[in-house]
Amino acid sequence: MANSRITSQTRDARTFGTKSRRQLGRRRNRSLIVLALCGTVVVVAVAAAAWLATKAATIRDELNAASVLIAPLKSEVASQDTEGAISTVDQLRVHTTAAKQSAEDPIWTLASAVPGIGANFAAVTEVTQSADDVANLGLAPLAKVFHSLDWKTLVPSGTASNLGSLKAASPSVSSAAHAVRASSERLDGIDADGLWPQVARPLVEVRDQLREVTGALDASADAARLLPNMMGAGTPRNYLLMVQNNAESRASGGIPGALAVLELHSGKLSLGAQSSAGEIGTMSPVIALDEVQQQIYSRRLGKFMQDVNLTPDFPTAARTAAAMWERKTGQRLDGVVSVDPVALSYLLNATGPVRISGNELSQVTSLGLPTELNGQNVVPTLLSEVYARIEEPKLQDAYFAGVAQEIFRALSSEQTDPKDLISGLSRGVTEGRISLWSATEWEQSIIGTYPLSGSIAGSSVPAAQFGVYFNDGTGAKMDYYVERTVQLIRECPKDGYENTTVRVTSTNNAPADAATSLPAYVTGAGVFGVPPGSVQTNIVAYGPAQATVETARLDGQKTGFAPYLHSNRPVGVLAVRLAPGESRTVDFTFGKIVQHTEPNVVVTPTVQDVKDVKLPMENAACG
């Protein structure tokens, strides 16, 4: 019995051992399978990572190669190298297409869906798609019509131009602008905060570049739509030219002095009837205006041509000036163009010097005025020397008229460099020295979206824009001697809102003996209650829409001021008088500013360079 039990136990032990070895084998097999699978996953992951790295390198290299071509493309466009530009665009398209194809790879697409890291791959895909759209839907159509365009068709000249090519190019330019805008909006929708730095940085750079390109293309598309008709393609156009005189400040620049009609027919420019603000006379009854602007700037806006631009809103000033001209002459105008002598100096840099001929030349020769004007001497001549040497206002007007005639005769000559002229015009527009209004409603609706319109409200005005405007209260030409600076000071937040102070410092640099050394016509001779040699200015400050004007300080002391509301923008007005050599500072503080964009300020263009007037924004020290 004992032997049987031993035998049975031995058999059971053997059976158990066999089972154990089998189970252990199965476990070992499963472990090997798991290890094999893990190894496979690792190999696949490593291979995928290597593949993605290769694709990322390709995308980087192709986009870098495309970006390198932008500079030569700009140069080719500027020099009108049509064949070179088309070839460069073709090369650029090859690179952007290669980058896009790499981002459309199945593994890259799969990586874009991985939680967490996938957003980085998806962002790169969007960048490559946008780059390819810009190249193929933006630049390629433009390259096709580029050969049909000529710089000379973009500016008025002395001969008729074929504006048909510009009209024909308009759809292509508009299509390109739409494509680039769509790409820009697509990239703007990507949240860059959670992306890898090596992805976020290029994304932000590309977005900024696209916004700039979008603005330029939108402007080009609008110009292609507007220019042919506004330059008299088919139907001749007549525009009132107002030359603003910065020596006697007005909100948009200076008192309107010389007036003339610019006639445009198929791009051919000629000068029609000439006059002066004084010859227009007094409007009775006054031209109707909105009550708010009459309240701020008085009924003089609609009474005298010299005062139509007391308001900084150029569309208002232009409509009023056109109505006055029509009432005086019976001629209905198609629009109004405004320039100042500083802008004329930019144009003279493109045309070259002009000689003052005819009766004007014989008059000025004996008086010591220059008989040849250029970009360097036109401003002091028109804003100072004319008044020092010509006492009779009618002779002053005749000289201004002669200068305007010669400058616009030079503009229409074949010797004017179109690119330099466009550059000068662009600078004048940027500085607020050139403004345009069209009497045609649909044209004005487009112009009104750009700073060229000189509007104080609407889509051309950024959300956080301030404005500082100067209106002479001396009744003379003393602003030639006034130096001004304007600065925004961002105050410490209060009650959840941001306050901003607009600081305006003015200095009268007239000689100490200005009362006797300067002509009475320049000093005003005290006719309007301001001592000769002193300067009185109404400083008008605008805040952003929906803000409030809180306080005003004069040389640090709180003072009273006149508060208004114009087009939902708060307005503060304060008069300041300066004796020769005196300097004073006005601070307007605006509150309840809710806009989250970077503040900027628009300033009345004066004799000074704009960059010398507008100082960098300052942040107050907050505890």
Side-chain angles (χ1 to χ4, degrees):
M1 292 291 295
N3 290 336
S4 297
R5 284 197 298 273
I6 292 172
T7 303
S8 176
Q9 290 172 354
T10 302
R11 188 167 52 249
D12 290 343
R14 289 173 179 170
T15 302
F16 178 78
T18 301
K19 290 180 178 178
S20 296
R21 284 193 297 273
R22 288 175 181 171
Q23 290 173 350
L24 182 59
R26 284 197 293 271
R27 290 195 192 101
R28 286 175 178 172
N29 289 338
R30 284 198 295 271
S31 296
L32 289 172
I33 292 171
V34 170
L35 287 172
L37 288 174
C38 288
T40 302
V41 169
V42 171
V43 170
V44 170
V46 170
W51 183 258
L52 290 173
T54 301
K55 291 298 179 183
T58 300
I59 292 171
R60 180 199 62 210
D61 292 344
E62 295 294 349
L63 291 181
N64 283 340
S67 66
V68 168
L69 294 171
I70 299 299
L73 179 60
K74 288 181 178 179
S75 177
E76 288 156 355
V77 170
S79 61
Q80 285 198 287
D81 180 2
T82 303
E83 293 184 2
I86 292 174
S87 175
T88 300
V89 168
D90 288 341
Q91 295 176 54
L92 198 147
R93 292 170 63 194
V94 169
H95 291 301
T96 59
T97 299
K100 176 188 172 186
Q101 289 174 346
S102 292
E104 289 175 341
D105 178 83
I107 295 178
W108 190 281
T109 303
L110 186 63
S112 300
V114 176
I117 66 171
N120 295 279
F121 294 95
V124 174
T125 300
E126 290 292 347
V127 170
T128 61
Q129 178 68 61
S130 294
D132 198 51
D133 284 350
V134 170
N136 285 285
L137 303 179
L139 296 177
L142 291 178
K144 290 180 180 178
V145 301
F146 180 51
H147 71 280
S148 66
L149 298 178
D150 187 333
W151 284 111
K152 292 181 179 179
T153 66
L154 302 179
V155 295
S157 67
T159 59
S161 304
N162 179 15
L163 298 172
S165 59
L166 187 58
K167 273 189 171 184
S170 179
S172 295
V173 179
S174 296
S175 176
H178 175 77
V180 175
R181 192 185 315 110
S183 295
S184 179
E185 291 171 353
R186 190 165 62 242
L187 294 188
D188 283 342
I190 299 175
D191 183 7
D193 292 339
L195 300 179
W196 295 331
Q198 57 267 43
V199 174
R201 282 194 299 269
L203 172 63
V204 172
E205 290 174 3
V206 170
R207 283 200 298 214
D208 291 342
Q209 291 169 356
L210 270 186
R211 289 192 194 104
E212 183 178 345
V213 172
T214 299
L217 278 178
D218 282 342
S220 298
D222 287 337
R225 290 175 60 197
L226 290 174
L227 279 177
N229 288 332
M230 294 195 72
M231 291 174 67
T235 304
R237 291 291 186 97
N238 295 303
Y239 299 94
L240 178 65
L241 171 68
M242 291 198 314
V243 180
Q244 298 194 53
N245 188 330
N246 312 92
E248 185 173 346
S249 62
R250 292 291 185 270
S252 64
I255 187 171
L259 304 174
V261 175
L262 298 179
E263 300 175 344
L264 280 164
H265 189 192
S266 297
K268 180 180 179 180
L269 172 66
S270 57
L271 207 60
Q274 292 182 265
S275 184
S276 67
E279 291 179 355
I280 298 301
T282 303
M283 295 293 108
S284 181
V286 299
I287 304 297
L289 291 163
D290 65 89
E291 292 182 5
V292 171
Q293 294 194 77
Q294 286 190 92
Q295 184 183 16
I296 302 174
Y297 303 107
S298 82
R299 287 165 57 85
R300 295 178 66 89
L301 280 175
K303 191 172 184 179
F304 304 106
M305 179 69 81
Q306 296 94 323
D307 293 325
V308 294
N309 56 340
L310 285 171
T311 172
D313 189 57
F314 184 72
T316 298
R319 277 194 301 270
T320 308
M324 289 182 177
W325 181 270
E326 182 176 356
R327 185 180 291 184
K328 175 69 175 181
T329 68
Q331 182 183 23
R332 177 165 293 188
L333 298 162
D334 297 297
V336 177
V337 180
S338 174
V339 300
D340 69 5
V342 180
L344 291 178
S345 74
Y346 303 157
L347 302 186
L348 282 174
N349 288 332
T351 65
V354 297
R355 289 187 62 81
I356 310 304
S357 59
N359 294 331
E360 293 77 18
L361 181 60
S362 62
Q363 292 172 349
V364 302
T365 301
S366 60
L367 297 173
L369 284 170
T371 57
E372 183 177 272
L373 294 178
N374 53 50
Q376 285 66 50
N377 69 1
V378 66
V379 173
T381 298
L382 294 183
L383 299 185
S384 178
E385 293 180 32
V386 165
Y387 305 115
R389 300 181 185 277
I390 303 178
E391 296 182 4
E392 176 59 44
K394 287 187 177 181
L395 291 179
Q396 294 168 359
D397 291 340
Y399 182 73
F400 270 100
V403 170
Q405 183 175 1
E406 293 304 324
I407 290 177
F408 280 90
R409 182 178 295 167
L411 284 175
S412 62
S413 72
E414 296 296 324
Q415 296 180 351
T416 299
D417 188 322
K419 287 180 288 183
D420 288 347
L421 182 55
I422 290 175
S423 177
L425 290 170
S426 298
R427 182 179 178 185
V429 170
T430 300
E431 296 180 356
R433 302 184 186 280
I434 299 176
S435 299
L436 172 66
W437 171 78
S438 173
T440 303
E441 188 173 343
W442 77 267
E443 292 175 353
Q444 181 59 27
S445 68
I446 296 174
I447 295 170
T449 63
Y450 295 97
L452 173 66
S453 69
S455 302
I456 59 93
S459 57
S460 67
V461 179
Q465 179 167 292
F466 293 81
V468 176
Y469 307 103
F470 308 115
N471 280 318
D472 173 69
T474 315
K477 300 294 185 289
M478 288 295 296
D479 278 300
Y480 181 77
Y481 299 97
V482 180
E483 182 178 302
R484 298 181 173 97
T485 61
V486 176
Q487 184 178 37
L488 297 182
I489 301 173
R490 184 178 279 165
E491 305 290 352
C492 302
K494 183 179 180 181
D495 300 327
Y497 291 101
E498 183 178 286
N499 287 3
T500 299
T501 293
V502 179
R503 176 163 294 167
V504 185
T505 300
S506 307
T507 303
N508 182 358
N509 290 324
D513 62 349
T516 56
S517 64
L518 295 179
Y521 189 80
V522 174
T523 66
V527 172
F528 294 95
V530 179
S534 293
V535 181
Q536 183 159 307
T537 306
N538 292 317
I539 299 176
V540 185
Y542 278 63
Q546 301 180 358
T548 58
V549 55
E550 303 284 349
T551 60
R553 293 180 180 276
L554 181 60
D555 296 331
Q557 300 298 313
K558 193 172 182 178
T559 186
F561 67 99
Y564 301 99
L565 190 67
H566 182 195
S567 292
N568 206 28
R569 296 181 64 182
V571 181
V573 182
L574 182 63
V576 175
R577 182 178 295 181
L578 301 170
E582 188 177 13
S583 179
R584 309 200 75 176
T585 297
V586 173
D587 288 341
F588 284 103
T589 298
F590 293 87
K592 295 185 178 179
I593 299 170
V594 297
Q595 291 82 5
H596 299 291
T597 55
E598 192 69 11
N600 75 305
V601 61
V602 173
V603 180
T604 292
T606 65
V607 180
Q608 294 171 257
D609 194 316
V610 172
K611 66 179 178 59
D612 295 329
V613 176
K614 296 199 295 185
L615 302 181
M617 187 172 66
E618 180 181 301
N619 292 314
C622 300

